[in-house]
Amino acid sequence: MSKPLKMLVFVLAATVALGAGVWLLLTAPQETAEPEDSTLYLETRTPDQIQSIAVDNLSGGYTVEKEGEGYRLHDIPAEQVNSEYLDMLLDEASSIQYLTEVTDDLSRLADYGLAEPEAVVEITYTDGASRRLLIGAKEPVDSGRYFMEDGGDKILLMKDNRSIRFTMPVENYIDFIIIPPEETTSVLSELQDITFSGTSLETPIVLKAVLPERADLQRTGLSYGALTHLVVEPGLHEASATALSTIADQLFGLISEGIVAYNCTEEELAAYGFDEPWLQIDFDYKNGKDAPVTPYCLRVSQDEEGYIATVNDEGIVYRILDQDFLHITYNDVVLRWFVSPFITDVEQLTISSPDSEYTYKLEGATAKELTVTDGQGNPMDSTGFSSLFNLTTSAASDGALLAEEPVLPDEPLLTIRYQYHDAEKADDVLNFYDAGQRRLYVEVNGVCEASMRQNYLDVLLNACAAYSSGESFSVEW
């Protein structure tokens, strides 16, 4: 073999050997080094070995006492305690951890905030042993907290997040959730009856949930097709799903931005303005498919810093953010369409003016089975009638509700009457009157709260005439 050929063979063999070595290194099981726990301990116990904790800090003081299998946190009722915060405190008092020893020079306690500690924490364990901790200032670089044992010979540094419970006011242990968040995505089924009242409203606004077991509301609801709620006071309307969703989304899961006071008597709550609240929301909450219906009463008042609230008879005054649901008005909750029944629920539709009258009789359990006859019993085109019916139910307010009910002319320019297959369902009657300035007043079942564009009248009457003649018609107004 020639010398160049031998060299080539050697290089190839070396390359193969090197590749095999690399492959073995990559595929060999790797030993992972366990990270060393750098945490140091002044005390290592379990939370259930805590007998009591007494905290004295810049916000005042509080105690935690073992009672049976649980703990009583100062004077806060057990159902109002944030259990997560309590568990954290018990962990921090039973497993006293620190990061490092800072110094054993006790001549400079003031430099570490320990000459006048921010908190003094006395912990007693179930075996009678105890620890008394002095909590000092925050360490500026690593955001730790200086502390030491009372009578100890070293200044230590703990994680700041393990000192929060020692330095915070007792009010922070009160659960910050005012209204529990919803359990399902169907918030409009969870929000049932709701009433808005208070000094910010001229009159209460009452909404009722249209539930399967409420036959009277189901029958009333025939005027509006598919719906979840009816506005029943101060007037009868279909409730706006948009407004209801805003209310539910903001009301459910409402949280506190701070505790103003707790364990208040009715007299003390009255001093905050809750005897005549700026806003009161009474509502029924079915939080979950199989959950019971729970009534809530949220009262809202104002102070120099914003909005405060109290719920049911808890005696807690919460600070809350300003949100849209606090400013809901009658206009907001009313859907602007006057009536919108399903075509299959209507037995007869009559549209009349001083110069003409059109009557249509409807039969059929479904839209596909719909048959239509005119007032003389002549069959009519059901497809064309569906368009006419949709035009009829498109009548809607295009602005705010009227501030007061107007004085109406003697005779309407247009009347629309819906009669239903359900004999117990009252007719819906819409009367349209001249309001001037190309506007119409609309009276719904004897009540006039809205107006609309006059152009609707001409478009509807022209459509009726065209439909009766078998001609096409416009539904744009």
Side-chain angles (χ1 to χ4, degrees):
M1 185 181 294
S2 66
K3 188 173 181 180
L5 184 57
K6 288 181 178 180
M7 181 61 70
L8 179 59
V9 171
F10 173 78
V11 170
L12 289 172
T15 302
V16 171
L18 179 60
V22 171
W23 181 83
L24 288 171
L25 287 173
L26 292 175
T27 57
Q30 300 294 310
E31 292 186 6
T32 56
E34 292 291 334
E36 293 185 7
D37 184 0
S38 60
T39 303
L40 302 170
Y41 295 86
L42 189 64
E43 189 73 59
T44 54
R45 294 176 182 258
T46 58
D48 62 349
Q49 291 179 290
I50 297 288
Q51 181 63 41
S52 66
I53 305 170
V55 176
D56 185 12
N57 60 31
L58 299 181
S59 300
Y62 68 87
T63 59
V64 174
E65 298 282 348
K66 191 177 185 68
E67 285 190 351
E69 297 299 317
Y71 289 86
R72 177 175 54 83
L73 203 160
H74 205 56
D75 58 353
I76 302 176
E79 65 274 11
Q80 296 167 4
V81 171
N82 183 329
S83 59
E84 290 185 7
Y85 270 19
L86 176 57
D87 289 343
M88 288 179 182
L89 174 68
L90 295 173
D91 174 64
E92 292 151 1
S94 59
S95 177
I96 304 174
Q97 305 174 10
Y98 63 99
L99 299 171
T100 187
E101 295 181 7
V102 178
T103 183
D104 58 4
D105 179 4
L106 303 186
S107 64
R108 298 168 49 223
L109 290 178
D111 294 343
Y112 301 99
L114 290 166
E116 295 182 3
E118 291 191 22
V120 177
V121 183
E122 189 156 355
I123 308 163
T124 303
Y125 302 102
T126 52
D127 62 2
S130 64
R131 295 273 189 182
R132 182 179 171 87
L133 305 180
L134 308 180
I135 311 298
K138 288 186 176 181
E139 192 273 328
V141 177
D142 295 327
S143 299
R145 176 78 73 165
Y146 297 117
F147 80 107
M148 65 182 296
E149 189 168 14
D150 193 13
D153 57 2
K154 293 182 179 64
I155 296 174
L156 309 174
L157 184 71
M158 71 166 63
K159 291 180 179 179
D160 183 53
N161 63 5
R162 291 187 67 83
S163 70
I164 294 172
R165 263 60 57 188
F166 299 148
T167 57
M168 74 183 192
V170 68
E171 291 86 354
N172 286 14
Y173 283 101
I174 295 175
D175 196 342
F176 59 87
I177 299 176
I178 304 174
I179 307 295
E182 63 273 19
E183 294 291 336
T184 75
T185 58
S186 180
V187 292
L188 297 191
S189 65
E190 295 183 342
L191 177 64
Q192 299 197 350
D193 295 351
I194 181 168
T195 298
F196 293 86
S197 60
T199 60
S200 63
L201 297 170
E202 292 185 5
T203 185
I205 305 168
V206 182
L207 297 92
K208 294 287 186 181
V210 182
L211 302 173
E213 61 270 22
R214 293 177 168 178
D216 56 335
L217 293 183
Q218 290 279 350
R219 183 169 287 114
T220 301
L222 291 175
S223 300
Y224 310 103
L227 79 168
T228 63
H229 290 73
L230 283 169
V231 181
V232 297
E233 292 182 22
L236 179 65
H237 298 271
E238 180 180 356
S240 164
T242 301
L244 286 170
S245 294
T246 296
I247 294 165
D249 289 343
Q250 296 182 357
L251 193 58
F252 298 162
L254 181 66
I255 63 173
S256 165
E257 299 298 314
I259 303 298
V260 178
Y262 69 100
N263 285 345
C264 295
T265 64
E266 280 299 319
E267 291 75 16
E268 290 168 332
L269 290 175
Y272 288 100
F274 293 119
D275 55 337
E276 295 184 0
W278 179 80
L279 177 67
Q280 179 168 320
I281 306 175
D282 297 278
F283 64 99
D284 290 337
Y285 187 10
K286 189 179 188 302
N287 193 9
K289 181 179 179 181
D290 299 318
V293 175
T294 303
Y296 280 87
C297 176
L298 179 73
R299 290 179 283 171
V300 180
S301 188
Q302 295 174 295
D303 64 10
E304 63 280 359
E305 295 183 37
Y307 293 95
I308 55 177
T310 187
V311 65
N312 294 348
D313 56 356
E314 291 180 353
I316 303 174
V317 180
Y318 303 94
R319 189 162 300 285
I320 62 172
L321 293 177
D322 184 3
Q323 298 190 68
D324 293 339
F325 82 94
L326 298 176
H327 307 281
I328 289 291
T329 66
Y330 182 40
N331 271 299
D332 294 328
V333 299
V334 168
L335 197 66
R336 66 189 190 94
W337 284 271
F338 302 124
V339 294
S340 51
F342 289 131
I343 195 170
T344 51
D345 287 328
V346 177
E347 182 179 49
Q348 181 169 299
L349 172 66
T350 303
I351 301 169
S352 58
S353 72
D355 300 321
S356 58
E357 180 172 295
Y358 303 91
T359 299
Y360 308 101
K361 295 182 181 295
L362 288 66
E363 293 183 2
T366 68
K368 288 184 178 181
E369 299 171 351
L370 179 69
T371 61
V372 183
T373 56
D374 65 12
Q376 288 73 45
N378 301 312
M380 305 291 287
D381 172 40
S382 59
T383 302
F385 180 79
S386 295
S387 296
L388 180 64
F389 187 85
N390 290 339
L391 173 59
T392 305
T393 58
S394 72
S397 170
D398 57 354
L401 297 178
L402 302 175
E404 57 183 31
E405 191 163 353
V407 176
L408 299 174
D410 292 335
E411 296 296 328
L413 300 177
L414 174 71
T415 297
I416 302 174
R417 179 182 293 272
Y418 300 89
Q419 294 169 262
Y420 295 89
H421 291 295
D422 185 337
E424 295 185 48
K425 163 66 177 164
D427 295 355
D428 283 317
V429 180
L430 279 64
N431 287 317
F432 300 76
Y433 299 86
D434 183 15
Q437 299 181 333
R438 300 180 180 178
R439 304 287 297 174
L440 294 171
Y441 289 129
V442 185
E443 181 189 60
V444 182
N445 297 327
V447 178
C448 182
E449 293 182 296
S451 65
M452 65 181 295
R453 294 171 56 197
Q454 189 180 35
N455 189 46
Y456 175 79
L457 184 151
D458 295 329
V459 171
L460 179 60
L461 291 177
N462 288 338
C464 288
Y467 174 65
S468 296
S469 302
E471 301 172 3
S472 61
F473 53 87
S474 172
V475 296
E476 301 297 327
W477 59 275

